[in-house]
Amino acid sequence: MKYAKLLLLLLMLSVAVSAQKRAKPILAEPGVSFKLAQHRHATISNVVYDINLSIPESRTEAVTGNICISFSLKSVDEPLQIDFKQDASHIKNIESSDHSVIPTVLKNEHIIIDKKFLKKGNNKLVISFTAGDAALNRNNEYVYSLSVPDRARTIFPCFDQPNLKAKFLLTLTVPKNWQVLSNGSKTQLIAPVQSNNQAQYVFTSTDKLPTYLFSFTAGKYTQVEKNIDKYNAEFLYRETDSAKIKLSVDSVFSLHKDAINFLESWTGIPYPFKKVGFVAIPDFQFGGMEHPGAVQYKASSLFLDGGATKDQHIARLSLISHETAHMWFGDLVTMDWFNDVWMKEVFANFMADKVTEDIMGTETFNLKFLQDHYPSAYAIDRTQGTNPIRQQLDNLQDAGSIYGNIIYHKAPIMMRQLEGLMGKDNFKKGIREYLKKYAYGNATWPDLIAILSKYSKTDLYSWNRVWVNQSGRPVFDYKITYSGNKISKLVIDQQAEVGPKRIWPQVFNLSLVYDDRIESVPIDMKEQQILLTSVIGKAKPLFILFNTDGMGYGLFPADKAMGEKTFNLESPLARASAYINLYENMLAGRTYKPADLLKLFQHGISIEKNELNLRLLTGYISSIYWIFMTSQERSAASLALELDLWSGMNNQAESNNKKILFNAYQSIYLSAEAKDRIYTIWQSQQPPTGVKLTEDDYTALALSIALKSDTVTSVLKQQQDRITNTDRKDRLNFLMPALSLDERERDTFFNSLSVQKNRAKEAWVTTALAYLHHPLRQSTSFKYLPKSLELVEEIQRTGDIFFPQSWLSAIFGSYQTKQAYQTVTDFLNRHPNYNPKLKEKILQSTDNLYRAQKMLATTN
Ligand SMILES: [Zn+2]
């Protein structure tokens, strides 16, 4: 009773406070607060941005411009806040249609326009400014803007929130020989405008877009145009390798075509934007970004050559389908606020998987789905820092920390379970209704659940609570009783791995494996515990395999009796599911110890023929080897593993499989013989029979030689001379000091990362960090750990959305000692009020370390 009374009192208090707050003007605080966004959404409409930007060739000269913001105001009861994350020196002039001079007032990243300069109805403000470089990604020969989630406000003044969609007009003045691409179509070219060798491009008005989807690219690119069905598509790239160009450009167009066709027919809505366009950016910090008409991709994901594996081809198809799916999911219907950013990501992944299924067949799809999503989702959901799919977000400046494996990988698993629960047809009907209802607008997850509920017999609200609003996974167990040689009872049970008691309703299969057959049993896990009556009386199996269809989510039992028989299972999906279960159980301290599991997986090298599975298996081998074995265990296992990988490579028939095993060999080798062998391959550029190695592969070889040798010093320099493409030359140049034999040079490199501009190429930085902190170098890089943790907050402030996570993973990914883990706990103890979202990221990225130091302490 006391508790309830207190609650009531608190409730009354908060009502009073919020009533009081409503009367007060909204304070200008850093970032974009939810409160400000809500208020602007209620009072501002009909926004049009007319942006004029002048981009000099030299990176040191500022990008200048002006913007005309037109909008309607419902009422003028307080000053207007326009987001602009720069200091006042970046604003030259502000005027409106009625006032030729409006004083510049800049407060906590907002331009404040006094009420007297505003009117009810239509307003027009013109602001001349100098753009900040943070989101412009300026390189020597090209620049590209990337505004997600709230970085448009670092480039130009705007209302930087997803639910104030606007039309964008853009004029770009750029060096004369540069190509340009933006959301709208390029309409004219006046060259040169002045004597300074510049050209001006005007783009047509866009459809209604949120600020995070506005983008442009300009630079020295090759431009190709093609018709894909009824749409004209533009493609910009900087690739110079003629083999890659020949093998990739047409495929990239046709993969877009396939994805658009599939999505048009699945959604029943034609491609929603006026233009199709995309650009391949060297070392782009994400896989891709879905700006309509100006999609950005990581160049190396699009340009494949003859040496590319099946996996790389599927990954490219998946990436293009993902970004194309965003045109409907995210771009046409946008989240209301970034707390629902996972919705656009889950649908993009979910639809990309459907395109893959359509093109590659159901079997490959199911296998790919399992391998793409489960290990990555578990990698976070099993940690102390895991988060629910749907999270709260009070200020857009923290939006970056919401991204991660849970929204990219657990959410698609949840969505597939939801589709299974509702039935494919009902699910599709619901999604179509949702897209139609909110087209060119915004919607929340509850808006979607409300629509889906109409098509579902199950209570989606309680289902939603466990799967979407809470974190974690269930642990499954079973008890089987035999009477004679027959099953008399089988009970399956689920418990939360951590946290409060709850049930994850879900469906999956289990298999009773016999010498001559496998019997599949469907499980509908609605309760904490189920008694499986359908198996009573069946013969005693060799072993029971859980989650054979890869649908279920959680930690499933791995029967030790499986052993080497695992590799004889006929279904590639069942084998992959078994590998994942075995690995997850090892991490949980059940079934196998690391060294024993390594031995088991090593046995599979010569038996497993499925390319995707072989990749999964060798990935696990490499993780166990470097992270979960002591250096003594590693030395003891190394030679036999080298031999098995090498002979496995020779025995595999498919060239992709050979390459996977060659890559694994390259990852684990330590012996003098292997060192000579790898060096000879690199130097002579003669790959092992049947293996195709590309320039990128030789660069990777050179890097591993530099890492593992204490005598060879010139390999990286020689490799650099071999490379002709300037972007790839620059990358290797950046990585070289991180691999130096000289510890002082590595120290200098690490220290240089404290300066923001040295972290600008995030993909380079994370690669360099992974080499810097390779297990073979940890005795000297251990000292960088405290400083690396201290930098995380700044990295979140200054870097792109995935950077804090990738920074931490690259650094902590392969540590295993108590001392390393102590550094992490010391840091967290020293900062009791640390940003909770970043603390989660730290706990997520150090989970392997947490487990390894515990496990290895008990082994020794
Ligand atoms: Zn996406």
Side-chain angles (χ1 to χ4, degrees), residues 302-569:
L302 294 192
F303 284 93
L304 304 180
D305 59 21
T309 58
K310 183 176 173 187
D311 206 48
Q312 284 175 292
H313 282 278
I314 299 182
R316 179 172 71 181
L317 162 66
S318 225
L319 173 64
I320 290 175
S321 309
H322 176 110
E323 302 309 334
T324 307
H326 272 313
M327 299 302 133
W328 287 260
F329 298 96
D331 296 4
L332 174 65
V333 179
T334 307
M335 67 233 158
D336 201 57
W337 183 241
F338 262 85
N339 66 326
D340 272 332
V341 67
W342 66 276
M343 278 175 78
K344 75 179 179 72
E345 295 312 325
V346 68
F347 278 118
N349 269 351
F350 191 73
M351 297 313 296
D353 288 329
K354 289 202 178 294
V355 177
T356 317
E357 185 175 11
D358 200 45
I359 294 172
M360 305 238 157
T362 303
E363 204 178 312
T364 309
F365 160 75
N366 284 334
L367 185 58
K368 189 185 157 328
F369 190 96
L370 180 76
Q371 298 205 14
D372 270 5
H373 300 310
Y374 284 73
S376 304
Y378 293 156
I380 304 298
D381 226 7
R382 73 166 100 88
T383 74
Q384 304 166 75
T386 185
N387 55 271
I389 291 174
R390 192 164 201 244
Q391 302 171 75
Q392 196 188 321
L393 178 70
D394 299 327
N395 192 310
L396 217 49
Q397 67 181 357
D398 299 322
S401 56
I402 274 186
Y403 289 82
N405 284 6
I406 292 296
I407 70 170
Y408 282 96
H409 300 293
K410 186 181 180 182
I413 293 169
M414 171 281 285
M415 205 50 99
R416 194 166 62 144
Q417 283 284 345
L418 179 59
E419 188 189 35
L421 195 74
M422 292 178 62
K424 284 192 174 182
D425 275 352
N426 282 334
F427 181 77
K428 193 197 266 188
K429 275 184 206 152
I431 299 296
R432 284 181 169 200
E433 184 180 326
Y434 156 83
L435 285 175
K436 236 190 188 140
K437 181 168 177 188
Y438 296 104
Y440 300 100
N442 301 79
T444 62
W445 172 243
D447 291 334
L448 175 58
I449 282 289
I451 292 178
L452 292 181
S453 286
K454 294 198 292 188
Y455 296 92
S456 171
K457 290 188 198 86
T458 321
D459 173 12
L460 291 188
Y461 291 95
S462 59
W463 180 90
N464 180 52
R465 221 174 6 254
V466 179
W467 277 96
V468 179
N469 293 343
Q470 294 178 352
S471 62
R473 60 177 188 174
V475 178
F476 292 91
D477 244 315
Y478 72 105
K479 275 202 185 75
I480 191 159
T481 329
Y482 298 103
S483 133
N485 225 8
K486 297 222 150 83
I487 299 173
S488 56
K489 196 176 175 190
L490 175 56
V491 176
I492 303 172
D493 167 82
Q494 62 165 315
Q495 304 285 343
E497 189 167 31
V498 286
K501 194 169 169 180
R502 56 209 190 275
I503 304 162
W504 284 257
Q506 57 178 302
V507 292
F508 58 85
N509 276 2
L510 69 72
S511 295
L512 304 173
V513 182
Y514 299 93
D515 259 336
D516 56 343
R517 67 187 191 283
I518 291 177
E519 288 189 24
S520 187
V521 184
I523 311 283
D524 187 355
M525 200 75 202
K526 280 185 196 147
E527 314 288 335
Q528 190 94 48
Q529 202 173 62
I530 59 161
L531 174 68
L532 210 60
T533 47
S534 63
V535 299
I536 294 171
K538 285 187 188 289
K540 182 178 182 177
L542 294 173
F543 58 90
I544 297 179
L545 190 65
F546 274 80
N547 200 22
T548 351
D549 59 351
M551 279 289 289
Y553 184 77
L555 181 61
F556 291 94
D559 197 334
K560 210 162 184 179
M562 285 157 64
E564 293 174 359
K565 295 187 194 85
T566 311
F567 306 108
N568 302 330
L569 291 167

Side-chain angles (χ1 to χ4, degrees), residues 15 46 164 265 302-303 370 413 512 586 599 629 640 665 680 701 709 852:
V15 168
N46 298 325
L164 269 179
S265 101
L302 294 192
F303 284 93
L370 180 76
I413 293 169
L512 304 173
M586 176 213 75
K599 262 193 211 121
M629 286 167 75
Y665 181 85
T680 311
L701 273 184
S709 166

Side-chain angles (χ1 to χ4, degrees), residues 155 626 632 634 663-664:
I155 309 176
W626 287 116
Q632 293 92 319
R634 197 181 302 140
N663 287 341

